[in-house]
Amino acid sequence: MSIVTVQLGQCGNQIGHEVFSALCSDIRGTHGLCSKNENQAYQDSCKERFFCEEQSAVPVARAVLVDMEPKVISQALSMAASSGLWRYSSHSHFCQKQGSGNNWASGYCVHGPRHKEAILELVQREAERCDRLGGFFTIMSMAGGTGSGLGAFVTQCLRDAFPTSFILNHVIWPYGTGEVIVQNYNSVLTLSHLYHSSDALLVHENDVIHKICAQLLNIKQISFRDVNQVIAHQLGSVFQPTHPAGGGSGYSRNPLGDLMETLVPHPEFRMLGLRNIPQMPESSLPFSTFSWPGLLKHLRQMLIAKAPMEEGIDWQVRPPHPGSSIPCTNKPLHFNTSIANLLILRGKDVHSVDLGSFQDPSLYTSWLNPQDAFNAWKTPRAFNRYEKSAALVSNSQFLLKPLDSIVGKAWNMFASKAYLHQYTKFGIQEEDFLDSFTTLEQVISSYTNL
Amino acid sequence: AVSLPFAVGQCGNQVGCRFWDLALREHAAVNKKGIYDEALSSFFRNVDTRSGDNAPDIYRGKICSLKARALLIDMEEGVVNEILQGPLRDVFDSKQLITDVSGSGNNWAVGHKIYGCQYREKIVEKLRKTAEHCDCLQCFFIIHSMGGGTGSGLGTFVLNLLEEEFPEVYRFVTSVYPSGEDDVITSPYNSVLAMKELNEHADCVLPIENESLFEIVNKIHQMINSGKLGSTVKQNSLVTSSAGSTKTLPEKPFDAMNNIVANLLLNLTSSARFEGSLNMDLNEISMNLVPFPRLHYLVSSLTPLYTLADVNVPSRRLDQMFSDAFSRDHQLIQADPKHSLYLACALLVRGNVQVSDLRRNIERLKPSLHFVSWNQEGWKTGLCSVPPVGHSHSLLALANNTCVKPTFIELKDRFMKLYKKKAHLHHYLQIDGMEHSCFSEAISSLSDLIEEYNELDATKGGPRIDPSRLKIAV
């Protein structure tokens, strides 16, 4: 099954480009460390999922590029083409000239309806090129105007036009300290709207990725390109082919569907966080050895203690005593309760890994059986030069604190009515804001009471 | 997206002239292949002049003849004629000019009421013509001074006109405010009458004070002549310099000061023209820096003022650039933002600067700055990859800060001094359409604005009480 990626706004298009580059470079690499057949199956599966090869010298990304100004798309198209390894289709992009001005209302109320037909047509065409459509993956930031506002509108349109397809929104959360002054307004409006039309939100926070670049990768002068490449690596570690959880010899045919099934048992809980291990500078790789127990021990503690990466983890945080029923108010303060977790393991000796520590019932809420709350996907084919690597996609309280912080700041600004005239002039009224705040306070409350 | 500058009056056109010259210099430095690209198209049309005056625009391919997308308006011919006879003559055609002969006599009412009325249709016609050539018109820039008659009166008339005819296009105004020792006695009247128009019809105003420009010019002269600089300064990097421009023009007395303003406009529009990892368009500036419609006055600062010739720039120098942006002597008006209250702040960085440099400096400088309680993290940032000519990097800071208040208070005081004595009022009142109420409404508008800033200042340093959040029934 194939996934159609929709890249929205500057952030979405910059990241999308890095993702396809990373996928391509991974399948071409000789670091697979597995049998030739395995490698071939992996390559074929990845190509089917993300690329189209009809009559083209190089694979063509299954992607639609959307932006309200031309410079970023132009760059993405030319960088891909000049790599000589893959490219975007020359007819799958839509752009305008004037941008959305960081204004969610402009993206949602003006650009959305105005360009709906043109954008949907591109998506339809891309969807038809798939033998079987596995769903949509949209990449957007929620701080600006296009990715956020137009992105929310497009997601709604996708839901209406493809009612039975899976939609996964990849949302970038901005640095806490300003990239955009009205970022908290745009974020609140985006998240509340996406909650109503998408199947799940997979979140990356700029602050977290920045720390990884600084402390794990030792990059001195961190650029957005560095940040985007880490994000692309993490996404690749989730979406590159794997064998399905139940075993079976072929690669999984329905990654988005499987993801939703394992991680989103209840519509009120759709926020997914992502952690990846190990992450280190390429130069250190030849000198490092990894063991699965070591990697999983760190990853489990990162989950429990809500750590962004494998350094600086708080090892004091422990799950509540297993077997006892503790009302949620008594749970240890910093412990991260999960609804469901998905572990993705790639590389050497992957089938002999002991996953018991992730099946511990004390990690989870009581609604699902621990067997259902935890799943693992595996492949012996190593990813992106890491002999062993593990990714964790988690529906848990990972994002509770950052979400609460964003809503708090937005509310603070809303109470003073600052900037509201910029939104009302394009059609978003105070009541619309209140609806969005209500939706998100509900989400915060639900996650808090796990 | 296209930005359309209008130069109105003597000051406006002198600055405009420097702007077009430096714009050509900037694009020539970047555009090595002579291909007409998106970046050039924001300011220039590409025309094959051999096909005559009404030749259609050429949208791609080699550069033929670049024509500035501009309107030059003056009620005296001197300045505009000089431009048309000088090396920039090929950049403009006669259809972009509106001139008269007698000037406005430093009288806002003459500019606004008499010439406004007289030239309204002609201005609208030329405006439409110019706009037709634009693929996507995003923003108008008015460049003018406040203290005279044409720039101030006719300039604000044009502002009104733009709002009526093109309500969806942003209106940015670069206004040069008169100093206390201004030659023109009636400059306070002209300025306050113009301020009312700016309050009501502009989206963003960038006030500039001649004193600040003058001090910057002096500072640079001192640095160069004192011999304190270890190595030589790169001539074309001076924020005041015309060196290296594509047309050689004889240096005129106000050129250095006007170059600063020209550089301000180039930096402001750089991210809309050139690529970068975090683009910042003009509509984003308006969106992020104007929390309430009338509070749209932005204090600007440009750094660095010059670059030394040595190539290695340790990050200490880079951090110094950020510190300088917040210092008193880099502001383009006589103001000290550090000791007043920030409503919002934008940093547009050009050149080899990355997001980690931005974040490090914001973290470093934040503690010493006062931000309003509902916008504690009020930073808007932009990263443009292309630096200005002669620099490896540069920073434009735009602040919506209560430090503009003293400028307005002084203006009000100078106005009242004249008005109380009814000095020179008859020059204005004898103009058709002018009455005492024009004056009282104008000063009232200015007083209201000052009061809004006062209310904000009163919140500075006060206890921070966050409003309670919505409660959800569980």
Side-chain angles (χ1 to χ4, degrees), chain A residues 69 102 221-222 411 419 441, chain B residues 279 288 291 356-357 380 469:
Chain A
E69 64 111 337
N102 286 166
Q221 196 189 24
I222 301 168
W411 185 250
Y419 298 101
E441 292 286 8
Chain B
N279 294 336
N288 285 283
S356 55
D357 301 311
K380 164 69 180 161
R469 298 266 290 270

Side-chain angles (χ1 to χ4, degrees), chain B residues 159-393:
Chain B
L159 180 62
N160 264 281
L161 204 56
L162 293 176
E163 186 171 17
E164 274 176 47
E165 300 287 322
F166 297 86
E168 291 176 5
V169 179
Y170 288 89
R171 296 173 293 284
F172 274 65
V173 188
T174 306
S175 307
V176 181
Y177 281 67
S179 68
E181 299 92 41
D182 198 83
D183 282 346
V184 178
I185 302 180
T186 49
S187 67
Y189 284 162
N190 296 330
S191 303
V192 172
L193 288 164
M195 272 290 287
K196 175 167 180 289
E197 306 299 317
L198 294 183
N199 281 344
E200 291 172 18
H201 305 290
D203 288 310
C204 268
V205 179
L206 301 163
I208 315 270
E209 284 184 280
N210 272 340
E211 283 162 76
S212 300
L213 298 179
F214 191 64
E215 278 168 18
I216 291 174
V217 171
N218 274 349
K219 187 173 166 173
I220 292 178
H221 275 167
Q222 276 173 30
M223 287 301 286
I224 297 180
N225 296 330
S226 71
K228 277 205 191 127
L229 299 173
S231 2
T232 36
V233 167
K234 281 160 91 175
Q235 274 303 306
N236 62 358
S237 74
L238 295 171
V239 74
T240 50
S241 156
S242 311
S245 35
T246 49
K247 323 276 182 181
T248 37
L249 294 158
E251 186 114 357
K252 297 205 302 301
F254 282 104
D255 273 0
M257 288 162 63
N258 291 337
N259 279 332
I260 299 175
V261 185
N263 276 312
L264 166 66
L265 292 174
L266 283 177
N267 282 321
L268 191 61
T269 56
S270 59
S271 185
R273 292 176 288 135
F274 302 116
E275 48 93 15
S277 63
L278 189 59
N279 294 336
M280 180 149 91
D281 225 337
L282 290 164
N283 49 8
E284 293 173 29
I285 292 175
S286 172
M287 173 71 178
N288 285 283
L289 292 175
V290 183
F292 298 100
R294 281 162 52 94
L295 299 176
H296 56 248
Y297 293 86
L298 308 178
V299 181
S300 47
S301 69
L302 284 175
T303 53
L305 300 177
Y306 53 83
T307 301
L308 299 181
D310 76 82
V311 175
N312 298 311
V313 185
S315 80
R316 185 175 34 91
R317 282 253 179 84
L318 187 60
D319 288 11
Q320 185 60 47
M321 178 176 79
F322 281 91
S323 301
D324 285 343
F326 291 90
S327 91
R328 224 180 181 291
D329 14 325
H330 281 76
Q331 309 303 316
L332 299 191
I333 64 169
Q334 300 282 290
D336 190 5
K338 257 186 150 160
H339 293 104
S340 302
L341 189 63
Y342 276 90
L343 303 184
C345 185
L347 299 176
L348 211 183
V349 190
R350 299 179 65 174
N352 182 20
V353 184
Q354 302 300 344
V355 64
S356 55
D357 301 311
L358 255 181
R359 308 205 53 68
R360 178 179 69 248
N361 281 286
I362 291 178
E363 291 306 308
R364 185 173 61 85
L365 293 165
K366 217 165 54 126
S368 61
L369 303 172
H370 308 279
F371 273 80
V372 76
S373 68
W374 41 261
N375 205 1
Q376 287 285 301
E377 281 104 7
W379 298 88
K380 164 69 180 161
T381 54
L383 292 166
C384 172
S385 311
V386 177
V389 174
H391 293 272
S392 55
H393 47 82

Side-chain angles (χ1 to χ4, degrees), chain A residues 300 354-364 370-371 374-375:
Chain A
R300 182 178 184 267
D354 175 10
L355 298 168
S357 61
F358 277 90
Q359 290 162 319
D360 177 357
S362 64
L363 262 52
Y364 299 94
Q371 302 95 282
F374 172 73
N375 276 280

Side-chain angles (χ1 to χ4, degrees), chain A residues 142-445:
Chain A
M142 61 183 194
T146 299
S148 72
L150 179 61
F153 186 84
V154 167
T155 303
Q156 220 168 277
C157 293
L158 288 179
R159 172 55 70 221
D160 293 335
F162 301 89
T164 55
S165 292
F166 294 107
I167 301 177
L168 177 65
N169 290 99
H170 178 231
V171 189
I172 305 297
W173 291 21
Y175 288 98
T177 310
E179 292 174 28
V180 168
I181 294 175
V182 290
Q183 62 186 43
N184 298 313
Y185 278 168
N186 292 337
S187 301
V188 164
L189 291 164
T190 304
L191 292 173
S192 59
H193 276 79
L194 288 182
Y195 232 76
H196 296 305
S197 16
S198 112
D199 289 305
L201 280 63
L202 181 62
V203 174
H204 267 114
E205 300 162 77
N206 275 350
D207 281 304
V208 169
I209 306 297
H210 193 100
K211 280 204 184 95
I212 293 175
C213 288
Q215 294 173 243
L216 294 183
L217 302 178
N218 293 327
I219 303 175
K220 296 284 175 248
Q221 196 189 24
I222 301 168
S223 65
F224 270 112
R225 185 126 201 247
D226 296 319
V227 171
N228 294 341
Q229 285 177 338
V230 172
I231 292 174
H233 171 86
Q234 293 202 340
L235 289 176
S237 74
V238 173
F239 290 109
Q240 283 293 49
T242 53
H243 296 288
S249 57
Y251 276 102
S252 161
R253 304 299 311 281
N254 188 11
L256 286 185
D258 293 341
L259 191 92
M260 303 305 175
E261 208 188 331
T262 51
L263 290 174
V264 189
H266 189 292
E268 184 65 15
F269 300 90
R270 299 183 204 265
M271 302 248 255
L272 307 177
L274 174 51
R275 295 293 185 264
N276 184 286
I277 194 175
Q279 299 239 242
M280 54 176 48
E282 208 176 309
S283 49
S284 309
L285 278 176
F287 307 104
S288 316
T289 47
F290 309 108
S291 74
W292 285 117
L295 290 176
L296 292 184
K297 184 170 172 210
H298 279 77
L299 200 49
R300 182 178 184 267
Q301 195 61 24
M302 279 158 69
L303 168 66
I304 295 174
K306 298 187 213 169
M309 56 187 178
E310 61 254 47
E311 249 172 58
I313 302 177
D314 182 355
W315 290 95
Q316 297 305 316
V317 179
R318 295 277 150 78
H321 195 71
S324 59
S325 63
I326 303 182
C328 57
T329 43
N330 287 0
K331 278 211 177 113
L333 251 181
H334 303 294
F335 173 73
N336 181 25
T337 308
S338 300
I339 295 170
N341 286 313
L342 170 65
L343 211 52
I344 301 159
L345 307 171
R346 302 175 184 276
K348 236 167 131 203
D349 305 324
V350 88
H351 292 293
S352 56
V353 181
D354 175 10
L355 298 168
S357 61
F358 277 90
Q359 290 162 319
D360 177 357
S362 64
L363 262 52
Y364 299 94
T365 63
S366 51
W367 334 320
L368 298 172
N369 290 324
Q371 302 95 282
D372 297 328
F374 172 73
N375 276 280
W377 298 350
K378 303 175 190 170
T379 172
R381 208 281 189 176
F383 173 66
N384 204 8
R385 283 177 291 266
Y386 285 93
E387 173 199 270
K388 300 186 179 80
S389 62
L392 169 68
V393 186
S394 173
N395 190 345
S396 64
Q397 293 171 318
F398 256 156
L399 296 161
L400 182 51
K401 207 157 151 234
L403 177 62
D404 189 65
S405 164
I406 289 171
V407 173
K409 289 190 226 173
W411 185 250
N412 192 14
M413 190 179 268
F414 182 70
S416 73
K417 302 207 186 303
Y419 298 101
L420 289 183
H421 72 284
Q422 306 271 17
Y423 291 86
T424 53
K425 94 173 161 205
F426 289 113
I428 294 293
Q429 309 300 330
E430 278 187 41
E431 301 90 67
D432 300 309
F433 272 95
L434 282 171
D435 286 342
S436 291
F437 278 113
T438 308
T439 301
L440 292 183
E441 292 286 8
Q442 183 66 62
V443 173
I444 290 172
S445 170

